[in-house]
């Protein structure tokens, strides 16, 4: 229930959420002299990193890339300690940026936005919160994140469990000590894959409940090479500019050859060389790995063999080996000692592919009539991705149309930035934009900059309302689907298509056409008088 309503505050803009997207958007809007306030459910900035404090939480984009690129000074004065930054270090970085830009003074923490309702007569959004705030603003910018609405499946008896339960995406701040405990982990996506080895190192007994084996590549994390740190201090901005001009939006050197341009021996050498580098470099081994099934099969088989080499028990190795989707079509995981963990005598893999969890009892988890007795259950069961955080807010556009109604058949946006029928509402990394398929920091910067330029344009031209046209939105949705269909991605039951949430419409949500291509489309739209938008 909402707290007592305060008198309305009139502002130019409201930003919802202060992960890396909301933080930068706030900085940009304020820098242009707009009156703006950001609301954040958490007690601090950091977004997904604020919530995902599970053991082993670590970014799978290299730390030097997972930082802002808008300020040479901010980049130069920060030093990462490891190749892949752990969650606490990313929170330190978020704190460093928040302090440097003095962001917190315009953020209201511990506050959830409950509704955003557009009034056509006044052309203003009324935004309300669970703390009783009422803000009336010209622009409403949703920086709610792609992976922020965590979900625990509705297992029968879930609430009867007598022990402790945790979700990786909403982890206690004080941490959890599993020493001497019997633990169940349900889910083997990135969060499960990262946390399982650490939980195994503490727990007396660990049961991992796996519905779908995922492909995981070795992170080969380690301390940063001091020479590289110095090189990046000098050259980061240039490297970032080069990355922004690529479709992966990353520093990775993609190989432009086809798998079939080389013989078997050369292919094996290249796969091995990229495997040895660690990280996602392996996926860029050949240009057709993600769009030709025969090419993908070769890469997939290479990884399957690696799994078989690591896992001692051939039956367990078989269960851990993904066979029902091409490599990379479900989000790839990066791990440290994930597969090795299954060689430990106190760790058991429970296959629930064809025999789902029957129920949860007060004592544990039941599968095929067998009760696995545990003291704690960790749900590593993921998120209502890309749309969940937006749809949990009561958003109403023209004519009282709710976003839920508008997106009944799946999300529809223009450029992943705007929704027809919802004027002056922008979505940072909304569905239909590259978002989760690229380095998300680059994605949020590009969106925030585009939105800022758009607002500048409106102000310079005496315009007060911008709205995506339905035709342009329809064409964009078709284009997003066409691009996805050129790849192997739609073959998997992934969260990219909403398959992890029962009843969610199956729509491929991110834009797979590449970061540079997308950026150019956005620039071209702006350069052509905001083609596909109506402005008044
Ligand atoms: P996820 O990838 O969606 O994995 C959820 C896991 O829970 C899957 O194994 C899923 O099985 C299982 N599951 C869901 N519902 C279930 C049910 N009813 N019964 C049994 N099993 C069920 O979620 P996540 O691991 O939290 O990762 C989400 C995304 O967040 C990642 O893909 C990544 O983009 C991001 N992330 C990034 C990092 C990083 O930077 N290192 C770390 C963590 C997360 P199915 O596969 O069969 O659905």
């Amino acid at each position: 229930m909402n707290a007592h309503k305060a008198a309305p505050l009139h502002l130019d803009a409201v930003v919802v959420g202060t992960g890396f997207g909301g933080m930068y958007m706030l900085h940009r809007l304020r820098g242009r002299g707009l009156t703006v306030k950001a609301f954040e459910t958490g007690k601090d900035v950091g977004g997904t990193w604020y919530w995902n404090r599970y053991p082993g939480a670590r970014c799978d984009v290299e730390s030097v890339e997972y930082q802002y690129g808008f300020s040479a000074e901010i980049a130069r004065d920060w030093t990462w300690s490891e190749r892949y930054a752990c969650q606490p270090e990313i929170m330190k970085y978020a704190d460093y940026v928040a302090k440097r830009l003095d962001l917190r003074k315009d953020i209201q923490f511990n506050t959830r936005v409950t509704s955003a309702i557009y009034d056509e007569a006044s052309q203003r959004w009324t935004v309300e919160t669970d703390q009783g705030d009422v803000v009336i603003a010209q622009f409403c910018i949703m920086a709610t994140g792609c992976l922020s609405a965590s979900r625990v499946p509705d297992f029968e008896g879930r609430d009867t469990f007598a022990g402790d339960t945790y979700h990786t995406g909403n982890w206690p701040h004080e941490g959890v000590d599993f020493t001497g405990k019997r633990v169940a982990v349900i889910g083997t996506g990135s969060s499960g894959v990262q946390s399982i080895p650490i939980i195994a190192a503490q727990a007396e007994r660990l049961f991992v409940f796996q519905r779908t084996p995922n492909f995981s590549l070795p992170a080969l994390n380690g301390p940063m090479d001091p020479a590289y740190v110095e090189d990046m201090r000098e050259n980061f901005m240039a490297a970032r500019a080069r990355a922004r001009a690529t479709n992966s939006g990353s520093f990775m050197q993609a190989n432009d050859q086809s798998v079939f341009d080389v013989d078997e021996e050369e292919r094996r050498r290249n796969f091995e060389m990229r495997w040895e580098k660690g990280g996602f470099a392996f996926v860029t081994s050949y240009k057709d790995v993600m769009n030709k099934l025969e090419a993908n099969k070769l890469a997939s088989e290479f990884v399957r063999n690696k799994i078989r080499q690591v896992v001692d028990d051939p039956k367990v190795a078989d269960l851990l080996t993904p066979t029902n989707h091409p490599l990379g079509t479900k989000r790839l995981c990066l791990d440290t000692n994930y597969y090795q963990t299954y060689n430990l005598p106190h760790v058991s893999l429970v296959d629930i592919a064809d025999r789902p969890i029957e129920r949860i009892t007060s004592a544990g988890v039941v599968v095929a009539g067998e009760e696995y007795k545990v003291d704690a259950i960790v749900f590593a069961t993921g998120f209502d991705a890309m749309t969940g955080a937006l749809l949990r807010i009561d958003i109403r556009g023209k004519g009282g149309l709710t976003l839920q109604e508008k997106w009944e058949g799946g999300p529809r946006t223009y450029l992943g930035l705007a929704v027809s029928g919802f004027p002056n509402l922008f979505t940072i990394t909304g569905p239909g934009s590259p978002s989760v398929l690229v380095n998300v920091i680059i994605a949020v910067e590009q969106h925030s900059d585009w939105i800022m330029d758009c607002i500048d344009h409106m102000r310079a031209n005496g315009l007060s309302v911008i709205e995506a046209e339905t035709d342009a939105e329809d064409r964009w949705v078709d284009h997003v689907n066409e691009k996805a269909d050129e790849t192997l991605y739609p073959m998997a039951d992934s969260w990219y298509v909403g398959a992890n949430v029962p009843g969610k419409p199956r729509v491929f949500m991110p834009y797979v056409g590449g970061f540079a291509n997308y950026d150019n489309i956005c620039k071209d739209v702006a350069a052509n008088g905001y083609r596909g938008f109506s402005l008044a």
Side-chain angles (χ1 to χ4, degrees):
M1 204 169 76
N2 275 7
H4 180 69
K5 277 193 196 177
L9 180 65
H10 291 263
L11 296 172
D12 294 322
V14 173
V15 175
V16 184
T18 60
F20 285 115
M23 289 168 71
Y24 181 55
M25 190 76 249
L26 173 61
H27 169 63
R28 289 296 329 261
L29 292 163
R30 240 176 31 178
R32 281 283 201 267
L34 274 80
T35 55
V36 55
K37 182 167 185 167
F39 290 108
E40 166 58 52
T41 310
K43 285 196 192 104
D44 204 351
V45 294
T48 196
W49 299 105
Y50 173 87
W51 301 103
N52 283 267
R53 293 165 186 259
Y54 59 84
R58 191 178 285 286
C59 188
D60 55 17
V61 173
E62 295 202 17
S63 50
V64 284
E65 298 198 48
Y66 201 79
Q67 63 179 331
Y68 287 121
F70 66 87
S71 157
E73 293 72 35
I74 286 182
R76 191 196 52 221
D77 296 348
W78 177 262
T79 306
W80 295 102
S81 64
E82 290 178 286
R83 178 179 179 189
Y84 294 99
C86 63
Q87 179 271 342
E89 189 168 26
I90 299 172
M91 282 301 286
K92 278 190 198 136
Y93 174 72
D95 174 62
Y96 156 75
V97 176
K99 283 193 179 124
R100 193 79 183 237
L101 302 176
D102 197 11
L103 292 177
R104 290 191 178 93
K105 70 178 160 66
D106 292 306
I107 304 171
Q108 184 172 318
F109 294 105
N110 299 309
T111 305
R112 179 180 287 282
V113 167
T114 51
S115 66
I117 295 173
Y118 186 66
D119 176 56
E120 284 172 72
S122 62
Q123 301 175 332
R124 290 290 179 278
W125 284 93
T126 300
V127 173
E128 297 196 10
T129 76
D130 63 354
Q131 300 302 308
D133 306 278
V134 181
V135 176
I136 297 177
Q138 184 181 6
F139 298 104
C140 180
I141 299 161
M142 294 295 178
T144 43
C146 296
L147 293 155
S148 43
S150 60
R151 61 174 292 277
V152 176
D154 200 9
F155 296 116
E156 188 191 320
R158 194 181 70 185
D159 300 330
T160 64
F161 183 61
D164 297 319
T165 59
Y166 307 95
H167 189 285
T168 48
N170 196 0
W171 201 260
H173 284 215
E174 61 280 12
V176 181
D177 183 3
F178 291 108
T179 307
K181 297 264 169 65
R182 296 170 62 87
V183 183
V185 175
I186 303 176
T188 53
S190 301
S191 306
V193 161
Q194 286 189 335
S195 57
I196 284 163
I198 314 282
I199 296 174
Q202 295 175 355
E204 179 193 297
R205 188 81 175 89
L206 175 62
F207 299 102
V208 177
F209 296 82
Q210 173 191 269
R211 186 165 70 179
T212 311
N214 238 325
F215 285 99
S216 184
L217 311 176
L220 303 190
N221 186 37
M224 294 285 277
D225 172 1
Y228 184 56
V229 170
E230 277 324 301
D231 175 34
M232 278 295 123
R233 214 180 290 290
E234 291 303 310
N235 299 312
F236 169 74
M237 295 302 278
R240 171 56 68 86
R242 280 196 300 278
R244 282 191 63 138
T246 68
N247 273 332
S248 70
S250 84
F251 292 8
M252 278 187 296
Q253 299 287 316
N255 182 0
D256 208 28
Q257 283 181 307
S258 159
V259 161
F260 304 108
D261 288 345
V262 296
D263 64 22
E264 197 181 331
E265 182 47 30
E266 166 60 21
R267 191 183 304 133
R268 196 197 52 73
R269 240 195 335 264
N270 185 34
F271 279 154
E272 198 67 55
M273 184 268 289
R274 285 178 183 256
W275 182 267
E276 292 299 326
K277 282 187 177 176
F280 291 139
F282 180 78
V283 192
T284 58
S285 301
Y286 294 100
K287 67 175 181 187
D288 37 11
V289 166
M290 287 312 297
N291 53 24
K292 286 217 178 75
L293 191 56
E294 291 309 313
N296 187 289
K297 276 183 185 164
L298 294 167
S300 296
E301 198 45 32
F302 181 90
V303 179
R304 290 189 191 113
N305 278 329
K306 291 286 182 191
I307 299 170
R308 292 180 194 119
Q309 282 163 21
V310 171
V311 181
D312 294 342
D313 181 335
K315 280 195 198 121
V316 178
D318 262 2
L319 288 176
L320 287 167
T321 304
T323 51
N324 77 345
H325 63 281
L327 174 94
T329 54
K330 279 170 95 95
R331 175 63 148 68
L332 278 172
C333 307
L334 284 197
D335 72 275
T336 301
N337 294 331
Y338 175 63
Y339 294 112
Q340 291 83 342
T341 300
Y342 293 95
N343 295 335
L344 299 171
H346 68 294
V347 176
S348 301
L349 183 66
V350 183
D351 174 29
I352 54 170
D354 301 319
R355 25 171 233 165
I357 290 173
E358 266 170 41
R359 62 184 183 283
I360 292 177
T361 63
S362 63
V365 180
V366 179
V367 174
E370 185 175 349
E371 186 180 56
Y372 296 83
K373 288 195 166 57
V374 289
D375 305 306
I377 301 177
V378 174
F379 295 103
T381 45
F383 301 87
D384 183 352
M386 307 212 60
T387 54
L390 289 166
L391 293 177
R392 287 179 189 185
I393 302 171
D394 181 11
I395 303 175
R396 292 170 195 238
K398 278 162 60 179
L401 180 74
T402 66
L403 194 63
Q404 279 94 341
E405 288 161 350
K406 165 96 191 187
W407 286 2
E408 213 175 0
R412 303 187 72 74
T413 71
Y414 182 35
L415 302 171
L417 271 165
V419 183
S420 161
F422 297 75
N424 288 4
L425 178 90
F426 294 106
T427 49
I428 294 184
T429 60
S433 73
S435 57
V436 292
L437 294 181
V438 299
N439 173 0
V440 82
I441 305 280
I442 287 190
V444 299
E445 284 184 342
Q446 184 259 347
H447 264 192
S448 303
D449 289 339
W450 191 95
I451 294 166
M452 195 62 251
D453 289 348
C454 174
I455 294 175
D456 280 347
H457 168 85
M458 291 172 70
R459 286 154 67 101
N461 291 282
L463 301 163
S464 50
V465 180
I466 182 164
E467 183 186 348
E469 289 168 356
T470 311
D471 282 1
E473 184 176 88
D474 290 346
R475 280 195 299 276
W476 184 251
V477 170
D478 289 346
H479 177 63
V480 170
N481 286 322
E482 279 158 21
K483 283 286 156 194
D485 289 340
E486 287 170 12
T487 72
L488 304 175
Y489 279 103
M491 290 177 71
D493 288 335
S494 64
W495 57 256
Y496 296 137
V497 295
N500 63 323
V501 180
K504 190 164 172 171
R506 191 180 177 104
V507 173
F508 192 82
M509 295 184 283
Y511 178 64
V512 78
F515 178 80
N517 290 341
Y518 173 80
D519 189 25
N520 287 334
I521 293 168
C522 291
K523 284 182 180 139
D524 192 55
V525 164
N528 285 282
Y530 290 88
R531 191 182 58 235
F533 287 95
S534 61
L535 289 128

